[in-house]
RNA sequence: GGCGCGGUAGCUCAGUUGGUUAGAGCGAUCGACUCAUAAUCGAUAGGUCGGGAGUUCAAGUCUCCCCCACGCCA
């Protein structure tokens, strides 16, 4: 069996993520991780919180907490919600961990030694009242061109004219409102990505099997304008990884930290160290160092399209530039955006459903199924309450849930709560096995290829085969003239339940577990062979009729939720 | 303004390297069944594949122009 390293883009720390964020990386990554584990592969699935940068500092200030405390609290919140959605991370780390601090500084040292770090002195806007340098997005003023009052430091959103912060009339800090701004000289480190352009280009060009979305974004950044630009990797902030060259101080860089986009991807590696230090694993290097056993690892990253440039270029530049045998990503699966009811999900405006709210109103499996079966793979996708209600009711309650219900209840009323004896298989059963085998092969093919929507459609078709079979052989009719034959039919149908549970677990793990429990099957292997899987339950095996596995979403609930989540989050 | 992803049945989407009557699910209509969460199963209807021009024996599928929507950027 193969070894798979899987990472999901790490969510930013400042608040709870919405469903669009969830389906953009963590959820499909979890689907893949669960599937590969079920198929017997060795999997290391990592995620973490991305904690550094100005937004975290501001959010902490707004919450009235020291930033370290705020981040620790929010990490705990996000970890709990991730658990609520059954995201099966082997470790959920933090980019602020000591391991990441050390490793980030280590990479900076290696890049410097390779001649890929350049020290640049530049002028930036400094806010005396805030006591800090201000990124362009935190400076506003009146546009000298059109008079728009909320023009940002880098451009006017009204007339689109490109601006310099010094051009603005009445320029002020959006943090404090202070107009006491001045230009100050400051020194920063730049990663000379341009020197790695050819190497990165050749590498990206060799990835012909990557999603178009991934490679097209990468190539745009490589070739647009003057090509790949050198990138500042330090900031004048307090909260972050202190700038060091390995373990040594970096003269002239005192009091500065690495830019969040430099240290965040390195957390993928540091997270594996955290995983070991937490006592969950024994050797992280065999996942990350190709000279120490990671050469047979297949590394897959999941992310939304906004993260693609950093994962196709910036982070690979860090890895390649270090000239050390770190594991490079083998496959990048990227996703478009999920829209909410005709518009965008909006964290700032509280528009749409957020992860904590979703779990308050429905079990995780409902969301997992709908989001995955509508994953925005080829283009942006649309969430509406109408489709959510009809799809979930139809797929989960009517097709799968009701199948389990009709089979177990029929058996209980005509036979008992034990797998009945008697009868033999004939043509309909052979046909069912053939059909299931065909679809199982297709399902596995789509899952292997990370074709999420197609996988969901195939799984649903497998569920439907059970209903088709029952409708065809009609055990309720057979029973009147040939109870033994009806027993054979319902025995087969009962066996379909654990079979479905095994195949469905990557999508709907809780429901799958409930079905196995009801059927009194302690554990189930992936059904490589359909025929043997459908004879797994021994005659006389006791089971119980499960509770309603999926209740339906009512019209009242749908309209209530549509109203509740349309506006502002309180 | 530049760039990017799209524009396929009422809705959500599939459509490999151009090749027979363009597919699926939902919804709709009709029928079957009655074991089941008023569930299920079957059948039928529904599309000038955004518009136009071109290449070709043949284009949803390639080329050019235009329109629309969304996103990114300067």
């Amino acid at each position: 069996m193969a070894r798979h390293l899987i990472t999901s883009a790490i969510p930013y720390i400042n608040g709870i993520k919405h469903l669009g964020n969830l389906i953009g990386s963590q959820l499909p990554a979890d689907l893949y991780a669960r599937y590969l584990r079920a198929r017997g592969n060795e999997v290391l699935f990592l995620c973490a919180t991305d904690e550094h940068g100005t937004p975290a500092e501001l959010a902490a200030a707004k919450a009235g907490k020291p930033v370290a405390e705020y981040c620790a609290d929010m990490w705990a919140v996000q970890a709990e919600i991730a658990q609520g959605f059954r995201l099966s991370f082997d470790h959920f780390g933090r980019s602020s961990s000591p391991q990441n601090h050390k490793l980030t500084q280590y990479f900076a040292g290696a890049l410097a030694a390779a001649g890929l770090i350049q020290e640049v002195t530049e002028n930036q806007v400094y806010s005396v009242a805030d006591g800090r340098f201000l990124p362009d997005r935190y400076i506003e003023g009146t546009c000298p061109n059109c008079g728009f009052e909320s023009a940002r430091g880098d451009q006017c959103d009204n007339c689109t004219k490109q601006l310099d912060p010094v051009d603005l009339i009445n320029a002020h800090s959006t943090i404090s409102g202070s107009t006491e701004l001045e230009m100050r000289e400051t020194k920063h480190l730049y990663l000379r990505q341009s020197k790695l352009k050819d190497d990165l280009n050749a590498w990206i060009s060799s990835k012909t099997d990557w999603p178009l979305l991934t490679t097209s974004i990468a190539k745009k950044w490589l070739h647009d304008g003057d090509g790949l630009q050198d990138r500042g990797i330090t900031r004048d902030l307090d909260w972050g990884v202190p700038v060091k060259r390995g373990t040594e101080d970096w003269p002239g860089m005192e009091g500065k930290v690495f830019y969040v986009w430099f240290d965040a991807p390195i957390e993928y590696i540091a997270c594996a160290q955290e995983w070991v230090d937490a006592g969950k694993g024994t050797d992280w290097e065999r996942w990350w160092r190709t000279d120490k056993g990671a050469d047979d690892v297949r590394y897959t990253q999941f992310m939304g399209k906004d993260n693609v440039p950093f994962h196709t270029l910036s982070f690979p530049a860090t890895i390649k530039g270090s000239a050390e045998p770190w594991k490079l990503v083998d496959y990048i699966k990227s996703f478009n955006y999920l829209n909410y009811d005709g518009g965008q999900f909006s964290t700032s405006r509280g528009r749409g459903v957020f992860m904590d709210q979703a779990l308050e109103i429905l079990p995780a499996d409902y969301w997992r199924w709908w989001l995955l079966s509508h994953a925005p793979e080829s283009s942006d996708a649309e969430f509406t309450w109408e489709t959510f209600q009809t799809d979930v009711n139809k797929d989960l309650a009517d097709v799968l849930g009701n199948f389990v219900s009709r089979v177990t209840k029929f058996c209980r009323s005509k036979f008992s709560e034990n797998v009945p004896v008697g009868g033999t298989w004939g043509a309909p059963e052979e046909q069912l096995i053939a059909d299931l085998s065909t679809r199982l092969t297709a399902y596995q093919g789509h899952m292997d290829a990370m074709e999420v929507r197609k996988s969901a459609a195939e799984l649903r078709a497998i569920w439907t085969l059970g209903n088709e079979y029952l409708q065809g052989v009609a055990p309720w009719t057979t029973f009147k003239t040939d109870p033994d034959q009806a027993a054979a039919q319902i025995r087969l149908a009962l066996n379909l339940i654990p079979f479905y549970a095994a195949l469905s677990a990557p999508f709907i793990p809780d429901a799958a577990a409930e079905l196995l429990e009801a059927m009194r099957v302690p554990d189930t292997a992936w059904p490589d062979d359909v025929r043997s899987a459908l004879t797994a339950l021994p005659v006389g095996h006791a089971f119980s009729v499960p509770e309603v596995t999926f209740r339906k979403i009512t019209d009242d609930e749908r309209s209530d939720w549509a109203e509740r989540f349309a506006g502002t989050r309180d």
Side-chain angles (χ1 to χ4, degrees):
Chain A
M1 287 291 105
R3 300 173 62 216
H4 287 268
L5 173 63
I6 300 170
T7 59
S8 160
I10 64 178
Y12 199 68
I13 193 69
N14 68 339
I16 292 163
K17 304 296 117 177
H18 54 63
L19 295 182
N21 300 131
L22 179 62
I23 189 55
S25 59
Q26 291 180 325
L27 195 49
D30 181 66
L31 178 78
Y32 191 52
R34 285 178 177 273
Y35 168 73
L36 289 177
R37 289 193 197 104
R39 296 300 306 275
N41 298 286
E42 188 180 0
V43 171
L44 183 63
F45 177 28
L46 300 174
C47 193
T49 43
D50 176 14
E51 304 193 358
H52 295 135
T54 308
E57 290 185 315
L58 298 181
K62 190 177 174 186
K65 294 179 182 178
V67 62
E69 182 185 333
Y70 172 81
C71 288
D73 291 349
M74 287 308 301
W75 175 87
V77 169
Q78 292 208 19
E80 185 183 350
I81 293 173
Q83 169 58 31
F85 275 98
R86 305 296 182 255
L87 302 175
S88 60
F89 308 134
D90 289 296
H91 189 72
F92 187 60
R94 302 180 60 185
S95 70
S96 64
S97 68
Q99 292 89 341
N100 194 41
H101 275 231
K102 191 176 170 189
L103 193 60
T104 298
Q105 292 162 343
Y106 176 84
F107 268 106
L111 290 166
L116 292 170
I117 299 287
Q118 185 173 20
E119 296 186 11
V120 174
T121 299
E122 54 196 7
N123 287 310
Q124 288 190 354
V125 175
Y126 185 85
S127 169
V128 178
D130 294 305
R132 65 194 299 162
F133 283 93
L134 293 180
D136 288 344
R137 57 194 279 210
Y138 292 109
I139 305 162
E140 277 189 8
T142 302
C143 174
N145 188 46
C146 71
F148 181 62
E149 291 182 2
S150 297
R152 297 190 323 189
D154 49 353
Q155 89 167 88
C156 174
D157 286 334
N158 187 48
C159 69
T160 74
K161 183 177 171 62
Q162 193 178 342
L163 301 171
D164 210 31
V166 295
D167 299 333
L168 292 172
I169 300 163
N170 190 33
H172 59 274
S173 160
T174 62
I175 299 171
S176 63
S178 169
T179 57
E180 198 179 345
L181 307 180
E182 57 191 52
M183 298 303 289
R184 285 194 186 177
E185 201 171 75
T186 181
K187 188 160 85 173
H188 283 295
L189 303 183
Y190 274 68
L191 175 59
R192 303 173 77 177
Q193 297 183 134
S194 56
K195 293 186 73 173
L196 294 163
K197 183 186 171 185
D198 292 343
D199 190 3
L200 290 167
N201 187 38
W203 178 64
I204 293 290
S205 298
S206 73
K207 301 301 184 183
T208 53
D209 62 328
W210 284 13
L212 182 63
L213 181 66
T214 305
T215 50
S216 67
I217 292 174
K219 287 176 180 170
K220 170 181 157 49
W221 280 60
L222 274 169
H223 304 304
D224 213 35
D226 298 329
L228 189 61
Q229 299 297 297
D230 293 344
R231 194 173 187 92
I233 58 165
T234 56
R235 290 292 185 274
D236 289 290
L237 292 178
D238 298 324
W239 177 239
V241 178
V243 175
K244 285 195 172 187
R245 189 197 303 262
T247 55
E248 297 170 11
D249 290 339
W250 203 310
M253 298 303 292
E254 296 81 4
K256 298 175 192 287
V257 299
F258 285 107
Y259 178 45
V260 59
W261 262 116
F262 183 68
D263 76 68
I266 295 172
E267 167 62 13
Y268 290 141
I269 305 174
C271 189
Q273 298 184 17
E274 293 176 51
W275 168 69
V276 169
D277 293 343
K280 301 173 184 172
T282 55
D283 185 355
W284 64 271
E285 288 184 313
R286 69 186 279 270
W287 290 98
W288 274 109
R289 293 282 299 209
T290 56
D291 58 334
K292 295 180 181 174
D295 48 311
D296 66 337
V297 168
R298 178 169 171 80
Y299 177 24
T300 306
Q301 293 177 339
F302 288 80
M303 72 199 64
K305 60 183 171 185
D306 51 329
N307 279 342
V308 168
F310 302 101
H311 290 79
T312 51
L313 303 171
S314 302
F315 186 42
T318 299
I319 297 284
K320 285 175 170 291
S322 76
E324 294 181 359
W326 296 97
K327 179 70 192 168
L328 260 177
V329 65
D330 293 300
Y331 192 85
I332 294 181
K333 176 74 175 177
S334 57
F335 290 85
N336 288 282
Y337 292 142
L338 179 69
N339 289 320
Y340 179 80
D341 213 11
Q344 294 182 336
F345 275 87
S346 170
T347 303
S348 57
R349 282 179 295 145
R351 186 167 188 279
V353 185
F354 290 73
M355 286 172 72
D356 56 338
Q357 300 169 325
L359 290 176
E360 283 169 20
I361 63 177
L362 285 172
D365 283 349
Y366 285 62
W367 299 108
R368 290 179 62 104
W369 172 255
W370 192 89
L371 290 169
L372 289 167
S373 61
H374 293 74
E377 291 177 298
S378 57
S379 64
D380 289 353
E382 179 87 4
F383 175 93
T384 67
W385 286 101
E386 287 75 14
T387 57
F388 177 68
Q389 180 195 22
T390 57
D391 291 343
V392 163
N393 285 353
K394 189 73 181 174
D395 297 348
L396 297 181
D398 295 346
V399 175
L400 177 60
N402 181 57
F403 173 80
V404 173
S405 185
R406 67 194 296 202
V407 169
T408 53
K409 287 181 181 173
F410 178 83
C411 187
R412 179 174 63 183
S413 72
K414 302 298 190 217
F415 299 99
S416 67
E417 287 185 69
N418 300 84
V419 176
V421 65
T424 54
W425 285 357
E429 289 73 25
E430 294 300 330
Q431 184 61 52
L432 175 63
I433 288 170
D435 292 344
L436 285 171
S437 299
T438 301
R439 291 216 175 264
L440 176 59
T441 300
Y443 178 56
Q444 291 172 169
H446 289 138
M447 289 292 269
D448 287 333
M450 285 165 272
E451 292 275 10
V452 179
R453 297 175 83 127
K454 289 180 181 175
S455 298
E458 203 62 40
L459 178 58
R460 188 191 186 283
I462 289 171
W463 296 340
T464 299
L465 285 177
N467 283 316
E468 289 176 13
Y469 169 75
L470 278 187
Q471 209 65 30
V473 298
W476 47 90
T477 303
T478 313
F479 184 78
K480 294 170 186 167
T481 57
D482 189 351
D484 272 2
Q485 189 56 28
Q489 291 163 353
I490 212 66
R491 191 166 62 244
L492 174 54
L494 285 168
N495 272 284
L496 279 172
I497 296 172
F499 176 77
Y500 285 169
L503 297 185
S504 308
F507 280 90
I508 47 174
D510 285 349
E514 285 170 27
L515 294 182
L516 289 177
E517 188 181 345
M519 296 311 292
R520 313 260 175 88
V521 176
D523 196 7
T524 184
W526 188 264
D528 293 309
D529 178 63
V530 174
R531 184 180 299 273
S532 58
L534 296 186
T535 53
L537 293 177
V539 166
H541 177 83
F543 66 91
S544 53
V545 175
E547 300 298 311
V548 170
T549 313
F550 295 101
R551 72 168 183 83
K552 294 198 185 192
I553 297 168
T554 66
D555 291 346
D556 284 347
E557 286 176 318
R558 185 204 65 206
S559 53
D560 285 350
W561 295 335
E563 187 177 351
R564 175 176 163 192
F565 297 108
T568 304
R569 182 187 172 95
D570 48 25

